Amino acid sequence: MTLTIETIAREIGAKAEGDLSLRIARPRQPDEAGPDDLALAMSAEFLDKLSQGQSRAAMVAEGTDWRALGLEAAVIVGRSRYAMAGLARLFSTPPAPKDPVHPSAVIDPTASLGEGVTVGPLAVIGKGVEIGANTRIEAQVHVGDGALIGADGWLMPGCRIGSGVTIGARFIGQMNAVIGGDGFSFVSPQPNAVEDYMERGTIAASMQADRYERIDSLGAVVIGDDVEVGACSVIDKGTVSDTRIGDGVKIDAHVMVGHNVQVDDTTLLCAQVGIAGSTRIGKRVVLGGRVGVADHISIGDDSIALAGSGVTTRVPERTVVMGYPALKQDVFMKIFKATRRLPSLAAKVAELQKRVPNDDDKG
């Protein structure tokens, strides 16, 4: 597939100049670009690499003198990363499968597939499932009984959708994502050590659980529109009420969302985030990589937890936290800087101790 400069600019809402009929096979880094490639040179660093490639056209930032660079055409953008998102969509559309429904797929007769739905090899679609128009179900996907999936979705190979899960439009489930597994809910016949410590601050000798009984998840998972869940990420069902993921939430790979968690609209969960049960995450929150969030707390709208933080208490809205336990960034940095001075402070104290006579010296 090739696209003209004119088409590319129109589709991503950018300006185009020069030879608008020039056809582009794919976007590439400037030093790797060939004559049929669109060089991505939106920053000074990449503009300097244009001479190392063979591109005739480039995507450049506003104000760039692209003609002086020897190019025949240019796509001119304002917010370059935003333009890159549109460009990537243009060139990443997967080819349509040869067979709309692969012969090896297993589809229950009661399932309802909308117009344009495709189902790949060895996929399994259970009883009463409803799948919206133009949704793409790839190889070895499993959709459990009673699940509802909106239009224009994309379930990549190995994605698992549990029974009773409800998903909105334009959902993307990447490879081996699991939506709607049972929550991690177990209880012992007598109070265990964790319960004893949380209640009294001690662990009694008698607090030794001899077994744990599982609590089945009776709730489901409800996901809004325009949500993406990364590879190998897991969203558990609620114990009684549903786990909910709002519109526009983007979840990276290897993320764990526990039972009954509520994640509000347009929040970002980066790789290896773990959110314990019954926690509420507000709108437009960003949790950096490897952030851990304790159970039964809340994180307010527009807050950020920097990578590696351990959030153990409520975070007010519009707050940036870091560290373990997570504190406001400015507070944590003051503590960190003070900690770095401890060795020199200890040396000064030792020196002062040498100068002060002790009781033995008085004798």
Side-chain angles (χ1 to χ4, degrees):
M1 180 186 71
T2 61
L3 298 172
T4 65
I5 290 291
E6 182 179 25
T7 299
I8 293 171
R10 182 180 66 248
E11 291 297 321
I12 67 173
K15 294 187 293 185
E17 295 180 356
D19 184 358
L20 304 188
S21 64
L22 196 65
R23 300 197 72 86
I24 299 298
R26 59 179 176 174
R28 295 208 72 181
Q29 288 189 181
D31 53 333
E32 299 173 351
D36 298 325
D37 297 330
L38 181 69
L40 304 179
M42 295 87 81
S43 67
E45 175 189 357
F46 287 107
L47 279 173
D48 292 341
K49 294 182 179 181
L50 273 172
S51 60
Q52 301 174 32
Q54 301 176 329
S55 58
R56 296 182 292 163
M59 179 182 284
V60 298
E62 291 177 345
T64 302
D65 187 357
W66 59 271
R67 290 182 177 86
L69 299 170
L71 298 170
E72 297 177 28
V75 177
I76 302 169
V77 299
R79 184 166 164 78
S80 51
R81 279 183 60 81
Y82 189 76
M84 185 63 202
L87 184 69
R89 280 194 297 271
L90 276 178
F91 285 92
S92 67
T93 304
K98 185 177 180 180
D99 299 314
V101 177
H102 194 274
S104 65
V106 178
I107 302 175
D108 190 272
T110 62
S112 173
L113 276 58
E115 184 178 356
V117 170
T118 60
V119 183
L122 303 176
V124 177
I125 299 177
K127 297 177 182 177
V129 169
E130 295 182 19
I131 299 178
N134 303 315
T135 291
R136 182 185 179 99
I137 309 293
E138 296 210 35
Q140 298 184 343
V141 167
H142 184 277
V143 182
D145 295 349
L148 307 177
I149 300 173
D152 301 305
W154 183 11
L155 305 187
M156 296 184 187
C159 182
R160 303 289 191 260
I161 308 298
S163 59
V165 170
T166 299
I167 297 176
R170 297 172 296 281
F171 173 77
I172 296 177
Q174 293 193 24
M175 290 183 284
N176 296 322
V178 178
I179 317 298
D182 261 19
F184 189 71
S185 298
F186 296 88
V187 64
S188 55
Q190 71 281 354
N192 60 35
V194 173
E195 293 173 278
D196 192 40
Y197 179 76
M198 295 298 290
E199 183 175 344
R200 286 182 282 271
T202 60
I203 300 176
S206 61
M207 298 292 108
Q208 298 175 358
D210 56 3
R211 72 182 190 278
Y212 287 96
E213 297 289 343
R214 123 189 276 273
I215 301 174
D216 292 342
S217 296
L218 303 179
V221 176
V222 177
I223 294 178
D225 296 335
D226 301 297
V227 171
E228 179 163 350
V229 178
C232 300
S233 287
V234 177
I235 302 175
D236 280 351
K237 292 180 178 180
T239 305
V240 177
S241 59
D242 297 334
T243 301
R244 293 183 178 272
I245 308 295
D247 295 341
V249 172
K250 310 299 182 186
I251 299 176
D252 200 356
H254 295 276
V255 170
M256 174 72 222
V257 178
H259 56 270
N260 302 349
V261 167
Q262 312 287 300
V263 180
D264 216 331
D265 299 345
T266 328
T267 280
L268 301 178
L269 308 180
C270 299
Q272 298 184 17
V273 161
I275 305 175
S278 300
T279 281
R280 302 183 69 89
I281 311 293
K283 291 182 172 66
R284 300 173 299 276
V285 171
V286 178
L287 302 185
R290 300 192 69 184
V291 166
V293 183
D295 60 293
H296 293 85
I297 64 171
S298 64
I299 298 179
D301 295 349
D302 301 297
S303 292
I304 300 171
L306 299 180
S309 298
V311 183
T312 59
T313 59
R314 174 184 172 273
V315 177
E317 62 182 21
R318 296 187 299 279
T319 303
V320 179
V321 298
M322 66 182 299
Y324 182 86
L327 303 170
K328 289 183 178 180
Q329 185 181 21
D330 57 343
V331 174
F332 181 88
M333 291 307 299
K334 288 177 182 177
I335 295 172
F336 176 72
K337 289 175 181 177
T339 303
R340 291 183 64 185
R341 291 195 293 268
L342 285 178
S344 62
L345 180 61
K348 290 177 181 178
V349 171
E351 181 62 29
L352 290 171
Q353 285 177 325
K354 292 178 183 178
R355 298 181 186 182
V356 177
N358 57 34
D359 291 341
D360 292 338
D361 293 335
K362 294 177 182 178

